């Protein structure tokens, strides 16, 4: 071939055309793809030795055991602990994101003083000053502890011991409700042995969706076969209603009537194992109030009596709050009437201190409130809390996160986030056997951030009070008992008490009178806040739970309202339209979704993180379970 | 094969999900995201644009008032894998040794043909760059590289765990290994069973015998099986996406 210009061009053109048939363009495309995936803003994954640490989840009070897979000492994933006496090898969705909580966007590393950022020691000094002034002026100081029963709770109680007229409070929690009433009637702590029960009826309480330790009850449910039957009474078809063997769709607010109806049947049919003044409450009356057929109530009562040991569980919802007192008493009374062996006496922990229920405190009486950082995963509307405070009352919050409640406090002392400090875990209050363990930290806490025992000690020191002790005392107290068993997993352990062999004897059951539900003119619907454990709690949700409520429809997200299609049709509202929910206490814009599991006449509004305050405001300041409502098109 | 090399018998990984045991708690979804370094939702993400490699879907039956929770992930189609067939970049492959449908984000151009082809809607597009709150990147799983904006991703039965188990076995001089995907480990009711479908003695093989698959009529050979005693769920599984039946010719 001669080197002519024509040949050169032909060679160049041929070579260019042939390149498309070689791996070169594909290789280039590959390389460009790989290169563009290594931009500096795509975070590199950490490298280092893979190890396993053991601890416990402290996102709520269930005390589930976790094993953390770590790289270079930093946890990158959590897994359950097989055989753990509280969690039974299971964890809930919150726990799987717990290791990311120290890096939450709302993480508080500084203190807050009336909303302004201050150094942690300045915030603590401010808190000491408030407490000292309150002591000198003999004003009522209260501590609000969402997880009573820990050694740190005893430390709070000792701190309050030096402040005359002070009160140690606990907010409502589903696990404490029925067991708490039964404990009061028996004069000693009572709990439930779910393993012994053959029939479990939950009334208005999501027993299979965030009650106690998720693993324990879900394992019981999943392996029930014909051994245990789960019955659930609730107006809406919640997760628990969907999973129960039988869902009893009662009217909103008729939990007490349903329980009294069952009690009436037990008494009249001679099935009750204790005397009770409920025989006069007729089946017809219960049917009228609950919207059920009389034979449904009759069948449930006979199933409870005939398929024992039976348990009846109340307590309400972690988001929409406790049931009314008459309902809780009726539910507790059912357990006494059934004489269930699954209701057991419970040894208290040696350092357990009795706490006053927050809702029992007279309104306007607390001058200084110290709110502990621990969360039980349940909602406590700010308005309900404020109602208990005196004019010009001051709030000191211990918090690891900048939540709505923290922003409204007078002082916020920054404390360790979950998995940053040594924390105590206890068994849920409904468990028949007490348990106590320590959750070792998984990561180092930031400089300047306190632990809760440190804050309590500094508050006592600042007020020239005796030192309130330390959590080390708890292990000594438990060792001194000389009973129970310890489950060891890796570098962590949990002690479980032995069974209390005593018998529970209950005082005479009280008479329970039901009032006719009041109807508000112009509000034909019932608004019910809805959500799931942790959605409206004192600490924010782990960031990865957005998968459940924002990137899927598994859980309700903010500003979402669900109505039955028939309700929407009657009101002329379209699917996914905007509407305004109005109650006698206020109004809020919502996005409508149709859901046949919501009963007609009910508007289920999601109470979610910061938006929860707006939803609870629609329910007033005494109860946040429901409110008369109406919907109008926006 | 000679004395110095040992061929590993090909496996066919699969799952059996007992829908009567799924409580819809969502633990598997969160555990899956943590394991695979899926970032928290972008503020604008919705259920259509978000990334949930495993999504628990709630379904209802009007007649029986029944409710079920269905964990849906890539069904690991074994025959004529639709996503693999349409990918112009060979970014999807079925691993001959495991049967797992693998997605290689490095090769993905983001054309989303695979998302259109997937009958299970189990593929997700990265509409945004992955972002974590400051400091949270230290909690990333070292076994899974974060994917950038513009590529498609999906469940791969936690291949990072499989490789880690394989490496560990190799270090111990063995070729035999077992591993558990994150969702299986996370399920508090043990609703998900995972294993080798080629091993007739495995739990997954035994349970798969009395089970059903979603959209079986399409012939894509999914390796994710479902179980339930509720007939309406079997009917649902066969009818999803099917054209509506004509009722008695009345139109």
């Amino acid at each position: 071939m001669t080197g002519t210009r024509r040949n050169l061009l032909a060679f160049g053109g041929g070579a260019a055309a042939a390149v498309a048939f070689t791996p070169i363009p594909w290789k280039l495309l590959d390389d460009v793809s790989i290169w563009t995936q290594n931009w500096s803003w795509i975070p590199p994954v950490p490298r280092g030795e893979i190890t396993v640490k053991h601890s416990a989840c402290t996102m709520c009070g269930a005390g589930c055991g976790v094993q953390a897979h770590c790289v270079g000492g930093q946890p990158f994933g959590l897994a359950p602990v097989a055989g753990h006496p509280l969690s039974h090898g299971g964890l809930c969705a919150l726990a799987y994101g717990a290791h990311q909580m120290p890096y939450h966007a709302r993480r508080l590393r500084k203190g807050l003083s009336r909303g302004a950022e201050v150094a942690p020691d300045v915030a603590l000094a401010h808190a000491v000053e408030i407490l000292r002034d309150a002591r000198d002026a003999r004003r009522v100081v209260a501590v609000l502890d969402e997880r009573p029963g820990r050694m740190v709770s005893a430390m709070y109680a000792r701190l309050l011991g030096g402040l005359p007229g002070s009160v140690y409070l606990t907010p409502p929690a589903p696990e404490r409700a029925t067991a708490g009433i039964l404990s009061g009637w028996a004069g000693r702590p009572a709990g439930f042995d779910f393993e012994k029960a053959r029939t479990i009826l939950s009334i208005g309480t999501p027993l299979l969706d965030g009650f106690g330790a998720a693993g324990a009850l879900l394992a019981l449910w999943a392996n029930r076969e014909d051994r245990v039957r789960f019955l659930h009474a609730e107006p809406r078809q919640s997760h628990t209603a969907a999973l129960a063997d039988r869902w009893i769709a009662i009217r909103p607010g008729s939990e007490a009537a349903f329980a009294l109806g069952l009690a009436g049947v037990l008494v009249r049919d001679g099935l009750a194992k204790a005397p009770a003044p409920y025989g006069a409450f007729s089946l017809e009356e219960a049917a009228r109030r609950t919207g059920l057929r009389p034979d449904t109530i009759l069948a449930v009562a006979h199933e409870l009596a005939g398929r024992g040991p039976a348990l009846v569980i109340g307590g309400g919802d972690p988001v929409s709050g406790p049931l009314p007192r008459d309902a809780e008493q009726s539910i507790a009374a059912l357990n006494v009437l059934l004489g269930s062996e699954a209701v057991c006496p419970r040894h208290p922990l040696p350092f357990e201190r009795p706490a006053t229920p927050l809702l029992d405190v007279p309104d306007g009486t607390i001058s200084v409130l110290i709110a502990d950082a621990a969360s039980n995963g349940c909602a406590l509307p700010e308005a309900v809390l404020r109602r208990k405070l005196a004019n010009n009352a001051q709030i000191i919050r211990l918090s690891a996160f900048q939540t709505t409640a923290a922003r409204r406090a007078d002082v916020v002392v920054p404390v360790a986030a979950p998995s940053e400090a040594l924390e105590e875990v206890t068994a849920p209050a409904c468990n028949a056997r007490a348990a106590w363990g320590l959750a070792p930290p998984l990561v180092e806490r930031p400089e300047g951030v306190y632990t809760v025992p440190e804050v309590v000690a500094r508050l006592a020191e600042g007020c020239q009070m005796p030192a309130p002790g330390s959590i080390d005392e708890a292990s000594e107290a438990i060792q001194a008992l000389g009973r129970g068993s310890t489950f060891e997993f890796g570098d962590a352990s949990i002690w479980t008490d032995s069974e209390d062999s005593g018998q529970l004897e209950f005082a005479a059951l009280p008479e329970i009178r039901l009032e006719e539900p009041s109807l508000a003119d112009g509000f034909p619907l019932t608004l019910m806040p809805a959500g799931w454990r942790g959605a409206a709690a004192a600490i924010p949700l782990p960031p990865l739970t957005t998968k459940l409520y924002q990137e899927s429809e598994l859980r309700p997200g903010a500003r979402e309202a669900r109505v039955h299609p028939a309700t929407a049709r009657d009101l002329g509202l379209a699917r996914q339209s905007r509407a305004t929910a109005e109650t006698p206490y206020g109004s809020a814009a919502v996005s409508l979704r149709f859901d046949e599991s919501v009963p007609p006449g009910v508007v289920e509004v999601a109470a979610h993180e910061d938006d929860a305050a707006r939803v609870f405001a629609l329910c007033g300041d005494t109860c946040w379970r429901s409110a008369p409502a109406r919907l109008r098109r926006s | 094969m000679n004395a110095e090399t040992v061929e590993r018998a090909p496996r066919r990984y699969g799952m059996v999900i007992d829908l009567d045991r799924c409580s819809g708690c969502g633990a598997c979804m969160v555990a899956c995201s943590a394991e695979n370094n899926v970032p928290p939702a972008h503020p604008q993400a919705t259920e259509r644009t978000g990334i949930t490699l495993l999504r628990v879907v709630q379904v209802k039956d009007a007649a029986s008032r029944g409710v079920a929770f269905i964990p849906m992930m890539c069904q690991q189609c074994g025959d004529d894998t639709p996503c693999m067939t349409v990918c112009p970049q060979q970014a999807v492959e079925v691993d001959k040794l495991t049967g797992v449908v693998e997605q290689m984000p490095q090769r993905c151009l983001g054309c989303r043909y695979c998302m259109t082809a997937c009958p299970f809607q189990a593929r997700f597009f990265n509409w945004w760059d992955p972002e974590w709150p400051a400091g949270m990147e230290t909690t990333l799983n070292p076994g899974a590289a974060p994917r950038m904006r513009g590529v498609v991703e999906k469940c791969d039965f936690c291949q990072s765990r499989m490789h880690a188990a394989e490496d560990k076995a190799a270090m111990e001089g063995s070729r035999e290994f077992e591993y558990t995907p994150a969702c299986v480990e996370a399920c508090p009711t043990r609703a998900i069973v995972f294993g080798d479908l080629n091993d007739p003695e495995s739990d997954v093989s035994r349970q798969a015998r009395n089970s059903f698959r979603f959209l079986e009529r399409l012939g894509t050979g999914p390796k994710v099986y479902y179980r339930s005693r509720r007939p309406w769920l079997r009917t649902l599984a066969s009818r999803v996406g099917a054209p509506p039946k004509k009722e008695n010719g009345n139109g």
Side-chain angles (χ1 to χ4, degrees), chain A residues 101-104 106-112 117-124 373 397-402 412-423 441 443-456 458:
Chain A
M101 291 305 282
Y103 313 102
H104 198 285
R106 293 186 183 184
R107 184 65 213 281
L108 200 54
R109 291 182 178 84
K110 289 195 167 176
L112 294 177
E117 275 197 357
V118 294
D121 55 339
V122 173
L124 184 55
R397 267 191 192 275
L398 280 59
S399 181
F401 302 97
Q402 196 169 26
V412 181
V413 181
V415 293
S419 72
E420 275 185 351
L422 185 71
E423 282 195 65
V443 292
E444 277 184 25
R445 75 188 138 109
E447 208 173 316
V449 163
Y450 296 99
T451 64
V452 174
E454 276 172 6
V455 175
V456 182
R458 294 280 291 275

Side-chain angles (χ1 to χ4, degrees), chain A residues 549-564:
Chain A
Y549 61 85
Q550 186 182 337
E551 294 180 283
S552 75
E553 294 181 337
L554 190 61
R555 301 288 186 177
R559 293 182 180 263
E560 195 181 302
R562 294 180 189 231
V563 290
H564 192 279

